[in-house]
Amino acid sequence: MALNFDLDEELESIRKMVRAFSEKEIAPVAEELDEKEEFSVQLTHRMGELGLLGPFVSEQYGGSDIGYMGYIIATEEIARIDGSQAATLAAGNSLGIYPIYTFGSEEQKRQWLPDLCAGQKLASFGLTEPDAGSDAGDSKTTALLDGDEWVINGSKIFITNSSSDISAVCIVQAVTGKRPDGRKELSCILVPNGTPGFSAKTMHKKMVWRASNTGELYFADCRVPKENLLGRQGEGFHQMLQTLDGGRLSIAAMGLGGAQGAYELAMKYAHEREQFGRAIGSFQVNAFKLADMYTEIEMARLLLYKACWLADNKKPYTKESAMAKLVCSETYHRVVNHAVQLHGGYGLMKEYAVERHYRNQKLLDIGEGTSEVQRIVIARHIGVPGDPRG
Amino acid sequence: MDIIVCVKRVPETAEADIVIDSTGKGIDKAGLVFDINEWDNYAVEEAVLLKEKYGGSVTVISMGPEESNETLRRALAMGGDEAIRLTDSAFAGSDGHAIATVLSQAIKPLPYDLILTGVQAEDDGYGQVGPTLAKMLGINHATVVNGIERIEGNTARVHRELEGGLEEILDLELPAVLTIQSGINEPRYVSIMGIRKVAKKEIKVLGLTDLGIKPDEAGENGSKTVIERVFLPPVGEGAEMLEGTVENIAERVVSILKEKGGVA
């Protein structure tokens, strides 16, 4: 009997701590930060102090070393309250810390990880370009070796955590040559914020994650030392794929936690709101909706936790993380749709947190691989004939 | 300064739907989330603050099942040094008096200057354990403490919260039991590093015979109270819906408040 659905005491303690933090420190400011499109350096520091950054990083580099299960539970709990702060955390961990920890040299790790894990600095992952989204291998940004320096030219877009006051370094995927098969050779290079030729501009007027930091990056003859290469030359594409496997777990956790939060708001409102002389939750049409929401959330949770279990036990989890990301973000979509419906007109008002959930959900169908891309990944893994791209 | 903090693991019921269990003498706890009693959390924080200020040690004690380990470890992660769990099937059904009996037996052999408890427990809310424990140990006590101003030599100056916004300041000779009011401090969150640091820490477990307690001194046999019935208050009585124009409603609200003593 190896199957066991109990979370151990440590994971339960982590959940309680993050829940208390989210409810006491994030919930009171979430609406205002969202309204003002304001990134909170202070909350990021707090997440670092509490050990939420660097959850899969060993203690020698300042991590808390709790594994994916603990990381995902923490992300879930923050997303239950606010998508923006969860985004800062998920991107900081999965896209900033993970590549440096996994592919970086000892020196790079010692240079960056302690401050990143402490929440004093943020690293970003410069992958998406104006013309390279789902087709991430088609980067136009180039990095050419000139003596002892890389010379980088190009641009990136929608890069989370890349242009805040504490953004310290970007892991830039760039074309560094041509492979024998004629395709682009990609490599990842660490480019510190503030390097001459590198400018990061904060993107505004977002519909989602308004209190998270999103940057548009420009590289114009930007020079960094040769040693800033992450791992080996030409490994960029594989590094990116591996990074996104873990990143999907955190996006899935945001879907799961968001769905949980939206469901709880709906349940509360279904008790409080009376129409025709009864609590609206007592009408079968609404009770069934709540039952469906609850059931779907539990299904999504089981799939995500299984994917985390695989990751923590060093088993392949690419397919499962794609499935979890797909299911959790689509569950959030359905749940928050019902949740706003239950709130009626009030659900369309910003003073109701469910409104923020409704907007924030949409990113999860798109970021870190669209739902369509997840289906491509899954289809490839289950052995469909031909190329599922069409 | 050696401090002992007594903590209790309780179900969170503030926002839960409460259902009376089949015995009619308790609530159905299945599906409820358990955590440290809120007042006890403030007591742990206060103990850790005192330790940080005056040095010494903090020992956390809980009477309860194995699941109470989580509550004890939480207190350890906040800065406690040692944890003791008091567990025995003979302890089941203890009221405030019986709990104080068990706690006092566990505390007697330990060094202590201060014993902190919460003012009351969220679940049964008797508020008895602190004062009863002090009586059993033959030491001073102060209840509803909302500030510990200073400790000099053998004397603690503490603030007590009284009804009607009054506050009492008194000097107590140590050792003493203080029951801690919520809001006395800002309890810290336990960081993940803190949780991990204490994950493997041993928790001492003591039962009936270890404590030298006779079976008729604990549990239901050792209790001075008997629960006859637990029930939910009937809904809908005593509410008066005010109707009419805003001015009329406002006038009526003011007169009700005056009548009932809400406005001076």
Side-chain angles (χ1 to χ4, degrees):
Chain A
M1 258 296 281
L3 195 62
N4 182 353
F5 290 104
D6 276 337
L7 292 180
D8 68 20
E9 196 185 297
E10 190 175 307
L11 292 169
E12 289 291 359
S13 300
I14 291 169
R15 184 189 293 283
K16 278 180 186 161
M17 180 274 281
V18 182
R19 179 165 291 204
F21 164 69
S22 307
E23 289 177 350
K24 288 183 187 148
E25 297 191 33
I26 297 177
V29 295
E31 186 194 337
E32 192 186 340
L33 293 174
D34 179 84
E35 180 66 22
K36 292 184 177 165
E37 282 198 302
E38 192 178 313
F39 174 81
S40 172
V41 170
Q42 191 201 340
L43 284 175
T44 310
H45 286 341
R46 287 291 287 140
M47 292 196 276
E49 281 166 21
L50 293 173
L52 306 183
L53 286 153
F56 40 73
V57 173
S58 65
E59 287 170 15
Q60 60 168 316
Y61 301 111
S64 53
D65 202 14
I66 50 169
Y68 270 95
M69 200 64 246
Y71 169 30
I72 260 40
I73 286 174
T75 311
E76 187 190 330
E77 285 302 324
I78 292 188
R80 177 176 161 268
I81 297 296
D82 184 46
S84 291
Q85 304 312 321
T88 303
L89 180 71
N93 278 323
S94 292
L95 305 181
I97 291 173
Y98 178 89
I100 296 176
Y101 182 58
T102 311
F103 311 116
S105 65
E106 184 58 32
E107 201 181 324
Q108 287 166 341
K109 289 197 261 190
R110 272 189 278 126
Q111 181 184 357
W112 296 109
L113 291 176
D115 283 344
L116 295 176
C117 294
Q120 293 297 314
K121 291 179 179 172
L122 284 168
S124 60
F125 192 60
L127 174 66
T128 301
E129 298 185 4
D131 296 318
S134 292
D135 190 2
D138 193 30
S139 285
K140 308 280 190 294
T141 299
T142 57
L144 297 174
L145 209 49
D146 178 28
D148 285 342
E149 290 178 326
W150 292 104
V151 184
I152 304 168
N153 280 288
S155 66
K156 300 284 175 182
I157 195 164
F158 308 131
I159 309 303
T160 306
N161 290 342
S162 65
S163 64
S164 74
D165 290 345
I166 54 171
S167 297
V169 61
C170 183
I171 302 146
V172 180
Q173 181 182 280
V175 182
T176 48
K178 211 175 209 178
R179 302 198 315 192
D181 64 4
R183 291 163 75 177
K184 289 172 175 177
E185 179 203 85
L186 297 164
S187 306
C188 287
I189 297 167
L190 296 172
V191 184
N193 287 58
T195 305
F198 169 25
S199 58
K201 191 174 136 239
T202 300
M203 298 174 78
H204 288 295
K205 299 189 180 177
K206 288 185 291 181
M207 177 175 85
V208 302
W209 293 2
R210 288 168 57 85
S212 80
N213 172 264
T214 307
E216 198 169 355
L217 314 179
Y218 304 94
F219 302 92
D221 288 327
C222 173
R223 288 173 173 266
V224 294
K226 198 170 72 175
E227 297 74 38
N228 284 26
L229 182 70
L230 189 70
R232 280 199 299 267
Q233 190 172 337
E235 285 181 346
F237 193 70
H238 284 281
Q239 289 172 349
M240 181 267 289
L241 290 179
Q242 196 180 325
T243 299
L244 293 186
D245 279 347
R248 283 180 187 125
L249 294 179
S250 61
I251 295 287
M254 292 184 63
L256 177 63
Q260 179 72 35
Y263 159 77
E264 287 176 23
L265 292 171
M267 185 58 137
K268 190 162 178 276
Y269 195 73
H271 274 95
E272 290 167 1
R273 171 75 170 172
E274 288 187 4
Q275 288 292 279
F276 305 103
R278 295 157 57 178
I280 59 168
S282 70
F283 290 101
Q284 194 183 58
V285 67
N286 292 331
F288 279 12
K289 243 176 219 165
L290 290 160
D292 284 345
M293 290 154 85
Y294 186 89
T295 306
E296 285 198 43
I297 290 168
E298 189 63 16
M299 293 194 293
R301 180 172 284 122
L302 289 173
L303 185 52
L304 173 57
Y305 286 8
K306 182 187 174 186
C308 293
W309 182 87
L310 291 168
D312 280 336
N313 285 281
K314 312 279 180 242
K315 293 172 192 285
Y317 68 99
T318 303
K319 178 182 66 188
E320 284 76 8
S321 77
M323 293 194 296
K325 196 258 181 187
L326 178 66
V327 166
C328 288
S329 49
E330 294 195 344
T331 296
Y332 191 12
H333 180 91
R334 286 187 294 271
V335 166
V336 79
N337 188 40
H338 284 325
V340 169
Q341 190 70 22
L342 266 160
H343 278 76
Y346 295 105
L348 307 175
M349 305 306 290
K350 282 191 190 298
E351 61 189 283
Y352 284 76
V354 75
E355 184 267 354
R356 205 168 66 246
H357 276 293
Y358 192 79
R359 283 184 285 113
N360 281 340
Q361 183 281 326
K362 194 57 211 167
L363 192 141
L364 304 186
D365 295 336
I366 295 171
E368 288 194 45
T370 59
S371 293
E372 293 76 11
V373 165
Q374 305 309 323
R375 288 187 166 88
I376 292 173
V377 173
I378 298 162
R380 277 185 184 145
H381 272 81
I382 59 175
V384 297
D387 185 338
R389 278 181 299 187
Chain B
M1 176 75 44
D2 293 319
I3 306 166
I4 291 170
V5 192
C6 305
V7 300
K8 185 177 186 181
R9 179 176 178 268
V10 295
E12 284 177 7
T13 52
E15 285 179 30
D17 283 325
I18 302 295
V19 178
I20 306 300
D21 69 14
S22 56
T23 68
K25 295 180 179 184
I27 60 166
D28 185 0
K29 290 173 182 153
L32 292 178
V33 178
F34 284 73
D35 206 345
I36 188 170
N37 175 40
E38 194 191 346
W39 282 273
D40 298 349
N41 195 32
Y42 288 95
V44 173
E45 176 67 29
E46 196 62 21
V48 174
L49 290 172
L50 289 171
K51 184 182 89 167
E52 286 168 357
K53 197 166 170 190
Y54 298 106
S57 70
V58 173
T59 302
V60 201
I61 302 184
S62 186
M63 185 180 125
E66 197 182 337
E67 287 78 20
S68 301
N69 278 2
E70 186 200 341
T71 306
L72 288 167
R73 273 194 221 286
R74 187 183 193 286
L76 288 174
M78 286 172 77
D81 300 289
E82 301 293 334
I84 303 171
R85 172 162 58 83
L86 310 175
T87 308
D88 201 301
S89 54
F91 296 163
S94 293
D95 71 352
H97 184 270
I99 292 170
T101 304
V102 175
L103 287 173
S104 68
Q105 284 300 110
I107 291 171
K108 268 176 195 165
L110 303 173
Y112 59 86
D113 302 293
L114 262 183
I115 299 170
L116 305 186
T117 71
V119 162
Q120 59 184 355
E122 278 171 78
D123 50 1
D124 49 30
Y126 285 128
Q128 291 176 346
V129 170
T132 313
L133 182 60
K135 175 74 184 158
M136 287 175 174
L137 294 169
I139 60 176
N140 289 329
H141 77 271
T143 54
V144 203
V145 171
N146 65 355
I148 299 177
E149 197 180 305
R150 60 164 186 259
I151 294 173
E152 274 173 9
N154 230 12
T155 308
R157 172 160 294 187
V158 304
H159 294 230
R160 293 186 62 231
E161 184 183 305
L162 304 181
E163 290 293 324
L166 287 175
E167 194 166 291
E168 179 181 80
I169 298 175
L170 55 94
D171 288 337
L172 261 94
E173 198 181 316
L174 302 183
V177 175
L178 306 179
T179 77
I180 302 296
Q181 174 66 316
S182 57
I184 186 175
N185 52 41
E186 188 71 46
R188 68 196 68 191
Y189 299 114
V190 176
S191 74
I192 289 181
M193 289 71 90
I195 292 170
R196 283 187 62 79
K197 220 164 88 184
V198 300
K200 302 276 181 287
K201 200 169 163 69
E202 198 207 346
I203 290 173
K204 197 169 165 187
V205 183
L206 300 173
L208 193 74
T209 49
D210 304 308
L211 297 169
I213 300 173
K214 297 192 196 80
D216 62 355
E217 291 174 333
E220 283 177 16
N221 296 333
S223 294
K224 303 284 185 194
T225 53
V226 177
I227 293 175
E228 288 294 334
R229 191 163 75 92
V230 169
F231 59 95
L232 293 166
V235 184
E237 286 173 24
E240 181 188 344
M241 298 305 291
L242 301 179
E243 282 169 20
T245 64
V246 177
E247 287 80 8
N248 290 343
I249 292 175
E251 266 177 39
R252 184 81 189 102
V253 168
V254 172
S255 73
I256 291 172
L257 286 174
K258 274 186 176 161
E259 214 174 284
K260 309 272 183 196
V263 182

